Amino acid sequence: MDGVVMQFNSYEFILYFLPITVLLYFLANRIKPVLGKIVIIVASIIFYSMGRINMLIYLGVSMLINYCSALAIKKLKISNKIIMSLPIVVNVGLLLYFKYLNFAITNINTFLGKEFPLKEIILPLGISFYTFQQIAYIVATERGELENNNIVDYVAYILYFPKLVMGPIIDPVDYISQLNQESRKHADLTNITTGIKIFSLGLIKKVLLADTFAKAVTWTYTNIDAATAMDCILLVLFYTFEIYFDFSGYSDMAVGVSSMLNIDLPMNFDSPYKAVSIRDFWKRWHISLTKFLTKYIYIPLGGSRKGIVFTYVNTIIVFLISGLWHGANWTFILWGLLHGVLSCIDRMFDKVEEKIFMPIRWLVTFVAVSVLWLLFSAQTVEQWRTILLKILFMQSTNASDGMIATFNLVENQFIYNMLGLHWLPSNVRGFNMLIFILVACIVCFIPENNYRKKDSLSIGSLLLAAFAFVWGILCLGAESTFVYFGF
């Protein structure tokens, strides 16, 4: 990304942008409710335009087209389906142009032996997310689910900064109704405390766990030719942890920020690595995306109403679209296809799977998800296959010193010195790495999801949040982007 992009895990956001925005929002609401909405809009524009000011042009054109279309749908009483299809086609067309044009040109050149030049295209930040939000708004308008199409409400919905760049995808009716509730116009100490708590827990997930695992993943890919079979096994595990703590950490932070503004965002994660099947996994991972694809693609295609064959076909189509939505690369397409196939197999053998010992079902699911995450992270399908073959042949069971060294953090040594255990890491090879694996497993597999217990404000939870916030702030020295930031 060119330019400075404001991130949730930055000093600018945490110490300046967020507290000022929350304060101004409630002060503006005391004067006039519409001013509170304008504060959200202005804050969101500042948040979004910190990366590239010209990205606002693409987003602005998209919003203008969609809002005018929504007004036309609202006023005209005939052919609404036709009118509705036009902005949807425009939305999808813009997404295809920005995200997939060069991918299409590259493949045409490869398969047909052509030499068409690639276009100089700057991918608008968050286009995959706000495109889906635009579609949701148009459909809600056509179905008469919105009482009015107030332009301020519309702009606040699309631009709302806690979910603008990386979701979650929120229903427009839900968001706008909350935005206009009188009871939510005033600062709520409980909501602010809840928001700070869950934001802090998300922050520590990102800056301590996700970013540390990311260093190990980066080291392995950088040294992939020299990497051992054990390095590759650990790569699979570490990327599985990285993407979880990265995206769920962001989602926790988004929920926390929004809670401070008295807006409830939907749950996006529900302990996905506790899933016992691929279908179960997709009910727990990126829940808002799964619901969107189900509501706007799977059900309109016929869902499971047209027989088992069409059910499988519709499932494959939805997962292929999910793969394409994530990125313009054959790795994402294959990732989506394989998830679709495994989901169909789950449905096909549902009764048989129920009789299998639960821990076995969990282990098979976790391994399958992890292997497919490797495909998600690989640059090419061939690289994914090469890594899997390296694991299969298992020529070396040693982890490389370079990978192990990525877990040697300053904070670790400080804690060991405090506890008088400074001798431990030097006597146990890979001790720091083992600690991170243990902590990651505990967080993923044991406690209840942060969202489900976000309203718990016990002394213990608040002390944990305070510890997480302080440690998170201290870890902000090297700001990093989120995995989903470029989608």
Side-chain angles (χ1 to χ4, degrees), residues 45 47 86 98 142 249 269 277 282 305 321 329 341 369 404 477:
I45 290 173
F47 176 83
L86 294 177
F98 283 108
E142 193 277 331
F269 289 86
S277 69
W282 280 104
R305 303 187 305 272
I321 291 173
N329 193 317
V341 169
V369 167
I404 292 174

Side-chain angles (χ1 to χ4, degrees), residues 55 147 198 262 371 421 439 467:
M55 289 192 295
E147 292 184 6
I198 195 167
N262 290 341
V371 169
L421 299 173
V439 170
F467 174 76

Side-chain angles (χ1 to χ4, degrees), residues 134-160:
Q134 300 274 32
I135 291 172
Y137 187 88
I138 290 294
V139 174
T141 300
E142 193 277 331
R143 292 177 178 175
E145 296 172 353
L146 291 168
E147 292 184 6
N148 60 66
N149 291 90
N150 182 295
I151 188 169
V152 176
D153 288 351
Y154 167 75
V155 175
Y157 164 66
I158 298 299
L159 292 182
Y160 189 52

Side-chain angles (χ1 to χ4, degrees), residues 251-360:
S251 295
D252 283 349
M253 294 163 80
V255 168
V257 170
S258 196
S259 176
M260 297 178 207
L261 296 168
N262 290 341
I263 301 291
D264 298 324
L265 293 183
M267 179 167 63
N268 221 16
F269 289 86
D270 190 11
S271 302
Y273 290 166
K274 295 179 183 177
V276 294
S277 69
I278 294 297
R279 292 173 69 198
D280 185 26
F281 172 78
W282 280 104
K283 292 175 182 177
R284 297 167 174 266
W285 174 273
H286 208 341
I287 298 170
S288 64
L289 175 63
T290 301
K291 287 182 176 179
F292 181 93
L293 294 175
T294 300
K295 181 177 180 179
Y296 296 105
I297 297 177
Y298 182 72
I299 292 176
L301 284 173
S304 57
R305 303 187 305 272
K306 296 184 178 181
I308 194 66
V309 173
F310 278 103
T311 298
Y312 294 148
V313 170
N314 293 340
T315 299
I316 295 293
I317 290 173
V318 166
F319 276 102
L320 277 174
I321 291 173
S322 175
L324 269 171
W325 178 85
H326 278 89
N329 193 317
W330 285 106
T331 55
F332 293 114
I333 296 172
L334 182 57
W335 174 81
L337 175 63
L338 291 176
H339 266 287
V341 169
L342 291 175
S343 294
C344 291
I345 292 173
D346 268 347
R347 182 184 287 270
M348 196 179 302
F349 296 102
D350 190 37
K351 298 299 181 183
V352 176
E353 289 180 2
E354 290 178 358
K355 299 176 182 178
I356 298 174
F357 188 42
M358 192 69 75
I360 299 297

Side-chain angles (χ1 to χ4, degrees), residues 35 45 62-63 75 113 123 137 142 151 190-191 230 271 273 287 337 343 351 376 427 440 461 481:
L35 295 179
I45 290 173
S62 172
M63 291 172 64
K75 292 183 180 298
L123 182 66
Y137 187 88
E142 193 277 331
I151 188 169
T190 300
N191 284 347
M230 182 55 70
S271 302
Y273 290 166
I287 298 170
L337 175 63
S343 294
K351 298 299 181 183
F376 196 89
N427 285 278
S461 67
T481 57

Side-chain angles (χ1 to χ4, degrees), residues 214-267:
K215 291 176 185 175
V217 169
T218 300
W219 182 92
T220 310
Y221 275 121
T222 303
N223 301 276
I224 195 65
D225 293 334
T228 66
M230 182 55 70
D231 291 338
C232 292
I233 291 174
L234 292 173
L235 168 64
V236 174
L237 181 64
F238 293 163
Y239 188 76
T240 297
F241 286 141
E242 178 198 345
I243 195 168
Y244 173 77
F245 289 119
D246 190 283
F247 196 24
S248 68
Y250 179 95
S251 295
D252 283 349
M253 294 163 80
V255 168
V257 170
S258 196
S259 176
M260 297 178 207
L261 296 168
N262 290 341
I263 301 291
D264 298 324
L265 293 183
M267 179 167 63

